[in-house]
Amino acid sequence: MNQHENPQHAWVLHTRRSTYALGVNAAGFLVHRYWGARLPDAGVPAAPESEGWASFNGPAQLLPEEYPAWGSGLSYVEPCLKATFADGVRALELRYVSVDVNGDTDLVIHLRDSHYPLVVSLFYRAHPDYDLVERFVAITNNGDAPVTLERAFSAQWHPPVGVQYRLSHLTGRWLDEWHIRRDALPHGTTRLESRRIMTGHQHNPWFALDDGEADEERGAVWFGALAWSGSWALTAEVTDFEATMTRVSLGVNDWDFAWQLAPGETFTTPTAVAGWTDGGFGAVSRAMHDYVRDTLLPHGGGKHKVLYNSWEATLFDVDEPGQTALAEVAAEIGVELFVMDDGWFKGRNHDRAGLGDWTPDAKKFPHGLTPLVERVNALGMEFGIWVEPEMINEDSDLYRAHPDWVIHSQNRQRTTARNQMMLNMALPEVQDYTIGWLDALLRNHKITFVKWDANRNVSEPGGWGGREPRELWVRYTQGVYRVFETMRARHPHVIFQSCSGGGGRADLGILRYADQIWASDNTEPAARISIQEGFSQVFPASVMEAWVTDAGTLPLDFRFAVSMCGALGIGANLLHWDAEARRQAREWVALYKEIRALVQLGDQYRLLPAQGQGYSAVQYMAKDASQGVLFVFRTHMAEPATFPMLHLRGLDADAQYMLDGIEGARSGAAWMRAGVQVPLKSEIVWAEGAMEYKIGDFTAAVRRIRRIGA
Ligand code: GLA
């Protein structure tokens, strides 16, 4: 931080390759100055000034304000803050008051309303190693009357003016998540959001902006994400000023949102993070991966165990003998963690009953869970379990005792989805109940892994029990976080997995508690290639659990290769696998254990993205460039097929490397620049004078990369 700049109220945050600068201009606005390639301090532009434009737009309309507040002056751009004071005044006028500077990376800028004692503190933290800047905001009411917040975003970001940006984002639906979309941003406001009280399968709070020319390897990209697991909004606004000006805001969704800030109270927004790179979309992902692994995940990226999950094998038909039989085969093929999914608790014979009553079903487990846990441990595996803490069936003791604990609206039907309703996690008593049974479950059993599911979104969002009903959206998520936080503190060794019918709760907020995410309920491997690729835009492979199941008809080799691109799991009915399938599985699991550190902790390069193509490749490389692994997939290619050159990445140009399946060592430079073909060929067989194709579709290659010599 440049202390000497402070008299001018101007600040510069540097990361290794980028610079982010802001300052107070002569008119008193806190404005953005620069965000892009690293600049010497002297080269950073001064805080922009503006007198507005014509009688229709005041200065605030044209200035890139860091945190625009609504209501004063001729400004119509998307604000970050909107509030109503007790006397009915709805216009905010924020002025710079002071700054706290902590070292080179941390900055807190305090703004205050010109009349009312409302203080808005903007927190900035630069992460030099990832070229990222984190931001969040604390809004404090120092007055003696309440203030109602109606929008309180986390940040507004300003990529350079004069560029027509393309927005990359992720879309989907249940069973079909993580489509990467790249759309030219139109003038006007583009809004991505969730109104579901959860992150949602439909859109993810992540964005990347480029000029339309960036690719996996090259090009400037401005990108960011929001660390929040509830309803959220992203607005990308393009105006005509300065030959197109683009602003991207991220925060808690203001749809049906209000927050009553009583005297002395503070509202703190979730954190938004954003970064810049000139290394294209691949570099965006690697920056996000490192940031997630190093700074968010409770167990830091980990080398996750190969797990078995019972869901697709047994559905609700779970009992001690059945699970034991599966566990025995799982152990035989090298599984390290056995996870019992849905169906184990009281009355849970189908999805119409049981949610809420978190004690083992007495018919299925007459002696409780301990005998199974001990058996699994004796087989050399750890034990994990599935729970769905936020949900309740009408047919449950909990609902019979506490029908009022359900989120509902007076005089309205309670809509069930998958026969379940949602508990009002905003209520402290519901949080305490959840903490109580979950804590007991973890205390009384040797459980090292918890899959936390949430299989529906909100309906009839009535109040939450407190003064302002529209606080529900935020208080619900805060309640979920409180339960997670308590569990993390009491059971720090436990690994949590975030699941919401697959990838419905995947965000940087939940990753502070959960080390893993179940990316999709779709385990069909051909579909999974694109799902995993989309997921990798934001999240590292260690976070992505990936099961080999019986879904579809594709060969076991192909299924394993696909799932080995994440944290490998098996979700098939192992009792249906014959001796040969189990033998093959054992070999794949053994190979995975050798390469998992590369996949889970290395740098990922999408060498040839699938995105609708029939041939794709992804590489994971150790941080020290000593070894890596290359996965190549052929889904469908018309014959005669030609196989593109794959240019390896992340190698030391001067060192010598071997690639499995290719004779002789070559320099890193040769592998990277000249590239290599990995054909996955069809075979042509001449049978009795007729030609027969053994088509090479749905084959895969897993090739290790090894540096030789010093
Ligand atoms: C959700 C999850 C599945 C499984 C089922 C159990 O759909 O995504 O993996 O756990 O619930 O009911």
Side-chain angles (χ1 to χ4, degrees):
M1 186 63 49
N2 288 306
Q3 298 287 355
H4 67 270
E5 275 197 292
N6 281 345
Q8 286 83 49
H9 305 318
W11 306 279
V12 181
L13 294 166
H14 293 295
T15 70
R16 245 197 281 162
R17 284 168 292 250
S18 76
T19 295
Y20 187 99
L22 61 161
V24 180
N25 73 5
F29 290 97
L30 177 67
V31 287
H32 185 72
R33 292 164 58 203
Y34 176 80
W35 184 24
R38 190 174 166 129
L39 284 182
D41 288 359
V44 176
E49 306 288 347
S50 171
E51 292 178 350
W53 198 83
S55 62
F56 289 97
N57 305 283
Q61 179 75 15
L62 278 69
L63 288 168
E65 280 192 83
E66 283 285 303
Y67 198 73
W70 183 79
S72 296
L74 294 163
S75 174
Y76 310 95
V77 290
E78 287 289 335
C80 282
L81 186 65
K82 183 175 183 312
T84 301
F85 294 97
D87 57 7
V89 168
R90 303 195 317 286
L92 284 159
E93 234 176 50
L94 297 184
R95 296 277 180 270
Y96 171 78
V97 180
S98 63
V99 67
D100 299 324
V101 177
N102 295 316
D104 288 339
T105 55
D106 283 50
L107 180 65
V108 189
I109 296 173
H110 304 285
L111 310 175
R112 185 189 180 281
D113 187 85
S114 59
H115 178 80
Y116 302 89
L118 186 77
V119 173
V120 176
S121 301
L122 311 182
F123 289 75
Y124 292 81
R125 169 169 291 173
H127 282 279
D129 289 348
Y130 320 116
D131 296 309
L132 292 172
V133 176
E134 277 177 354
R135 292 176 60 180
F136 69 90
V137 179
I139 303 155
T140 302
N141 178 6
N142 288 330
D144 49 17
V147 178
T148 305
L149 305 179
E150 284 135 13
R151 177 183 280 194
F153 281 171
S154 298
Q156 187 164 100
W157 307 98
H158 301 274
V161 296
V163 180
Q164 298 269 355
Y165 288 102
R166 173 172 67 163
L167 172 70
S168 296
H169 57 119
L170 291 157
T171 68
R173 51 187 173 151
W174 175 69
L175 217 58
D176 185 27
E177 302 91 334
W178 309 111
H179 292 275
I180 178 85
R181 310 276 181 201
R182 303 198 199 279
D183 303 315
L185 264 188
H187 283 229
T189 301
T190 300
R191 187 177 170 101
L192 309 175
E193 65 176 355
S194 160
R195 297 182 188 180
R196 294 168 176 264
I197 221 166
M198 291 185 199
T199 327
H201 302 81
Q202 291 68 24
H203 302 278
N204 195 264
W206 169 84
F207 72 90
L209 296 176
D210 76 297
D211 65 1
E213 299 288 322
D215 59 22
E216 281 294 311
E217 300 295 326
R218 277 164 293 270
V221 188
W222 291 259
F223 60 98
L226 181 71
W228 185 241
S229 313
S231 293
W232 56 272
L234 175 151
T235 64
E237 181 172 20
V238 181
T239 65
D240 284 318
F241 296 101
E242 312 297 343
T244 79
M245 232 178 148
T246 302
R247 302 166 161 82
V248 179
S249 308
L250 264 176
V252 161
N253 202 339
D254 58 331
W255 171 262
D256 193 43
F257 163 83
W259 190 275
Q260 212 185 101
L261 204 56
E265 285 184 351
T266 296
F267 179 85
T268 304
T269 72
T271 298
V273 63
W276 175 88
T277 179
D278 62 357
F281 302 117
V284 169
S285 299
R286 287 185 291 281
M288 291 299 292
H289 295 177
D290 287 342
Y291 169 72
V292 166
R293 281 185 298 221
D294 298 351
T295 74
L296 299 182
L297 297 177
H299 296 95
K303 280 192 287 173
H304 289 296
K305 301 202 158 54
V306 177
L307 69 71
Y308 177 77
N309 179 291
S310 64
W311 173 244
E312 292 194 23
T314 60
L315 299 180
F316 300 100
D317 198 7
V318 163
D319 61 14
E320 194 185 313
Q323 294 291 300
T324 306
L326 285 168
E328 279 162 2
V329 187
E332 185 193 314
I333 62 179
V335 167
E336 301 159 296
L337 167 65
F338 183 86
V339 182
M340 177 164 65
D341 208 279
D342 198 353
W344 61 268
F345 46 97
K346 192 174 168 204
R348 188 68 168 169
N349 299 315
H350 39 66
D351 64 15
R352 297 185 300 283
L355 291 173
D357 300 343
W358 297 101
T359 49
D361 186 86
K363 288 198 200 86
K364 297 174 174 185
F365 297 94
H367 310 289
L369 298 181
T370 303
L372 176 64
V373 178
E374 284 176 352
R375 179 73 190 124
V376 164
N377 290 164
L379 288 164
M381 296 181 293
E382 295 181 10
F383 186 81
I385 201 158
W386 178 95
V387 295
E388 198 177 4
E390 300 151 74
M391 302 292 160
I392 182 165
N393 285 117
E394 197 168 340
D395 186 359
S396 67
D397 294 343
L398 185 68
Y399 188 73
R400 284 181 280 272
H402 296 288
D404 52 320
W405 279 9
V406 163
I407 295 182
H408 65 279
S409 203
Q410 274 181 1
N411 310 322
R412 298 285 170 245
Q413 292 218 339
R414 300 178 176 203
T415 303
T416 54
R418 210 194 188 206
N419 305 301
Q420 65 201 54
M421 295 170 282
M422 292 182 67
L423 285 169
N424 181 356
M425 295 299 290
L427 282 179
E429 54 269 39
V430 174
Q431 297 160 21
D432 292 343
Y433 170 78
T434 311
I435 289 168
W437 69 257
L438 196 48
D439 184 46
L441 184 69
L442 299 183
R443 244 185 306 111
N444 299 335
H445 304 93
K446 240 177 122 187
I447 290 173
T448 60
F449 181 95
V450 174
K451 175 176 173 184
W452 178 311
D453 209 339
N455 277 309
R456 60 160 293 175
N457 298 142
V458 76
S459 60
E460 298 87 36
W464 66 277
R467 51 200 176 187
E468 166 56 67
R470 289 167 294 178
E471 290 177 12
L472 170 75
W473 303 98
V474 169
R475 288 190 182 272
Y476 180 93
T477 305
Q478 289 175 340
V480 170
Y481 284 168
R482 181 184 157 227
V483 177
F484 264 112
E485 230 160 64
T486 311
M487 289 307 122
R488 286 243 54 80
R490 294 191 192 169
H491 306 279
H493 66 288
V494 172
I495 302 268
F496 281 87
Q497 183 191 53
S498 168
C499 173
S500 172
R505 192 185 265 152
D507 56 79
L508 304 184
I510 208 68
L511 289 178
R512 286 170 301 169
Y513 310 109
D515 288 270
Q516 291 206 318
I517 290 170
W518 180 229
S520 178
D521 275 346
N522 189 343
T523 59
E524 193 284 314
R528 194 86 192 180
I529 290 177
S530 310
I531 287 172
Q532 296 186 167
E533 194 171 281
F535 188 86
S536 79
Q537 302 290 331
V538 192
F539 307 108
S542 68
V543 157
M544 184 182 71
E545 202 187 293
W547 308 341
V548 174
T549 70
D550 298 324
T553 53
L554 299 179
L556 195 61
D557 286 7
F558 187 78
R559 285 183 268 160
F560 263 100
V562 171
S563 293
M564 283 162 69
C565 292
L568 176 66
I570 298 174
N573 191 335
L574 295 176
L575 303 177
H576 296 171
W577 283 16
D578 63 17
E580 174 55 17
R582 292 179 193 181
R583 187 195 62 74
Q584 285 181 27
R586 202 165 35 245
E587 280 181 14
W588 283 114
V589 169
L591 173 62
Y592 181 73
K593 288 175 182 170
E594 287 177 30
I595 61 168
R596 71 175 144 198
L598 302 170
V599 173
Q600 295 186 24
L601 302 171
D603 286 330
Q604 178 172 353
Y605 298 93
R606 293 177 294 260
L607 294 190
L608 197 63
Q611 283 170 34
Q613 315 258 18
Y615 182 88
S616 61
V618 58
Q619 180 196 343
Y620 303 84
M621 203 63 202
K623 293 272 175 199
D624 68 0
S626 62
Q627 48 173 325
V629 58
L630 171 68
F631 291 83
V632 186
F633 300 103
R634 171 174 171 162
T635 50
H636 172 66
M637 293 173 94
E639 292 292 349
T642 47
F643 298 94
M645 278 293 180
L646 300 176
H647 298 270
L648 300 187
R649 293 289 322 276
L651 278 54
D652 174 353
D654 300 326
Q656 295 288 308
Y657 289 88
M658 302 280 295
L659 176 70
D660 281 355
I662 308 266
E663 290 249 328
R666 297 180 196 171
S667 68
W671 291 115
M672 293 192 289
R673 292 187 199 133
V676 58
Q677 272 179 314
V678 180
L680 294 169
K681 284 188 184 155
S682 297
E683 279 171 42
I684 302 170
V685 185
W686 292 95
E688 289 171 20
M691 193 178 74
E692 209 181 276
Y693 264 128
K694 204 173 143 231
I695 293 286
D697 285 355
F698 302 109
T699 52
V702 183
R703 304 269 181 94
R704 297 187 66 172
I705 303 161
R706 293 184 178 87
R707 190 171 64 196
I708 54 174

